[in-house]
Amino acid sequence: MNRFVEFINTGDEDLAREGISPDAVFHAPSHPEPLRGPDGYLEVLGMMRSAFPDVQWTLEEKVTEGDTVAARFTMRGTHDGEFFGIPASGNEISVQAMNFYYLADGRIVGERGQPDLLGVVQQIGAVPAPWTS
């Protein structure tokens, strides 16, 4: 997981190919169909980096059982690009994500990610937060 966190924080393609199986399947709420392999994960990272160029993930905790890892992250960044059609606000975000990773032969073969997208759109000002309305 430490190498994976290094990968998502740098977007290093070599790390992606080292740690992600070519057959990996990723279920991301940003895409209706699963993404596949290192290129699929790089696509999601590219989307996030185009909206939040300084985005960084901090692994807060993880639980491992067999070949499955549950990981809780904090994602932080500045909204300096369009995000799902929402123009850059310049707002800083800090949201949680809970992801499950499936491993085989030391590589990631699958992920189900649940980032707090509602928190993101609230923090960039696209949706009012309940405590400010």
Side-chain angles (χ1 to χ4, degrees):
M1 285 307 295
N2 292 333
R3 294 287 283 169
F4 178 74
V5 172
E6 182 181 350
F7 155 62
I8 60 176
N9 282 328
T10 63
D12 183 309
E13 290 185 29
D14 291 334
L15 287 175
R17 296 189 197 306
E18 173 187 311
I20 298 173
S21 168
D23 301 320
V25 177
F26 301 102
H27 300 272
S30 57
H31 291 71
E33 297 296 322
L35 297 154
R36 301 196 179 276
D39 290 333
Y41 216 97
L42 286 163
E43 180 181 330
V44 171
L45 286 181
M47 178 198 70
M48 291 305 297
R49 290 197 182 286
S50 69
F52 305 91
D54 61 348
V55 67
Q56 292 288 288
W57 286 268
T58 302
L59 179 60
E60 304 291 355
E61 61 184 308
K62 66 184 173 186
V63 176
T64 302
E65 184 175 305
D67 290 334
T68 301
V69 177
R72 184 177 62 83
F73 292 91
T74 299
M75 180 180 79
R76 294 177 180 87
T78 308
H79 184 219
D80 284 335
E82 187 176 295
F83 184 69
F84 291 111
I86 303 162
S89 65
N91 292 357
E92 293 184 4
I93 63 156
S94 178
V95 296
Q96 299 289 303
M98 184 67 210
N99 300 346
F100 287 89
Y101 297 92
Y102 307 97
L103 309 171
D105 300 320
R107 298 171 98 184
I108 294 172
V109 296
E111 179 199 56
R112 287 202 176 264
Q114 293 296 315
D116 179 7
L117 291 178
L118 177 58
V120 172
V121 295
Q122 287 174 332
Q123 290 178 34
I124 64 177
V127 173
W131 55 87
T132 61
S133 52

